[in-house]
């Protein structure tokens, strides 16, 4: 089976151009490594990663909080282009996050605010392999400190890099070691 990499991050607000470029490159790299990109089917930095993955010929999946496409577009103001599959959960934003995290082999945090912090916390508690794309602002600037303070023992491992290509390579190396154990 192909590795599913979830990209979680800032979906609204003013997005930094550098963070957008890094998210796009991240999506490209995920596709180049023949992995599937999974997001919350939302705008913002996850959408930039989705566009990058599609540009590189990758497969993309969106997990929508909506019941159907009309609600996805109108109520949640979310895009659907560049997605190969859009899964409707009908469970709202918070319910969608649980399905998103549990569906990933690897979770990458890009920028982000409170919603992304919640996704990080879920991934950490679930023992997921987590990547942090540094230099994208938001909570990524504080996650090293937070991880030191948490001190909760889970199976989770956190990998940091400010280079999308290096981050994906490191995560896939750790993932393959974990799967062999």
């Amino acid at each position: 089976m192909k590795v599913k990499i979830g990209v979680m991050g800032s979906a609204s607000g003013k997005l930094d151009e550098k963070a957008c470029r890094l998210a796009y490159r991240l999506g490209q790299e995920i596709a180049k490594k023949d992995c599937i990109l999974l997001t919350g089917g939302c705008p913002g930095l996850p959408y930039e990663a989705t566009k990058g993955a599609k540009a590189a010929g990758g497969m993309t999946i969106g997990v929508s909080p909506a019941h159907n496409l009309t609600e996805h577009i109108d109520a949640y103001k979310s895009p659907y282009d560049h997605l190969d599959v859009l899964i409707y959960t009908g469970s709202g934003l918070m319910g969608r996050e649980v399905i998103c995290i549990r569906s990933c082999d690897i979770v990458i945090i890009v920028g982000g605010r409170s919603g992304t912090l919640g996704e990080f916390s879920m991934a950490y508690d679930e023992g997921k392999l987590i990547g942090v794309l540094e230099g994208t602002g938001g909570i990524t600037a504080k996650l090293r400190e937070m991880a030191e303070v948490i001190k909760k023992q889970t199976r989770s491992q956190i990998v940091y890099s400010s280079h999308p290509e290096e981050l994906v390579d490191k995560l896939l190396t750790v993932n393959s070691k974990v799967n062999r154990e």
Side-chain angles (χ1 to χ4, degrees), residues 4-153:
K4 293 178 296 303
I5 300 178
V7 175
M8 311 298 153
S10 302
S12 63
K14 184 167 174 15
L15 299 175
D16 178 73
E17 283 186 43
K18 178 186 173 195
C20 288
R21 285 192 306 274
L22 287 169
Y24 187 91
R25 281 178 40 208
L26 177 65
Q28 287 181 312
E29 192 61 24
I30 289 168
K32 287 177 188 175
K33 298 296 183 187
D34 199 28
C35 298
I36 298 171
L37 183 137
L38 189 141
T39 71
C42 59
L45 295 178
Y47 182 61
E48 293 301 318
T50 301
K51 290 193 297 188
K54 285 313 302 172
M59 181 174 186
T60 59
I61 299 173
V63 179
S64 174
H67 287 95
N68 55 46
L69 183 59
T70 300
E71 185 179 12
H72 180 80
I73 295 167
D74 295 341
Y76 289 99
K77 308 292 184 222
S78 291
Y80 63 93
D81 57 329
H82 305 293
L83 290 170
D84 294 304
V85 177
L86 187 55
I87 298 167
Y88 302 109
T89 65
S91 59
L93 294 171
M94 300 303 270
R96 179 253 339 249
E97 290 176 352
V98 173
I99 294 167
C100 228
I101 296 300
R102 288 187 173 160
S103 298
C104 299
D105 301 303
I106 298 169
V107 173
I108 299 178
I109 305 297
V110 184
R113 297 184 309 218
S114 61
T116 309
L117 181 57
E119 290 164 328
F120 169 81
S121 297
M122 279 186 259
Y124 187 84
D125 279 353
E126 298 264 331
K128 296 287 183 177
L129 176 55
I130 302 170
V132 178
L133 185 56
E134 295 180 304
T136 55
I139 66 165
T140 63
K142 297 291 184 184
L143 280 179
R144 279 186 192 265
E145 294 170 50
M146 284 188 228
E148 289 177 22
V149 171
I150 293 171
K151 295 184 182 173
K152 181 178 181 179
Q153 294 299 313

Side-chain angles (χ1 to χ4, degrees), residues 3 105 129 157 169-181:
V3 174
D105 301 303
L129 176 55
Q157 294 181 53
D169 283 342
K170 285 180 175 181
L171 288 165
L172 290 174
T173 297
V174 172
N175 188 61
S176 97
K177 286 180 186 174
V178 168
N179 286 333
R180 279 185 268 156
E181 294 174 350

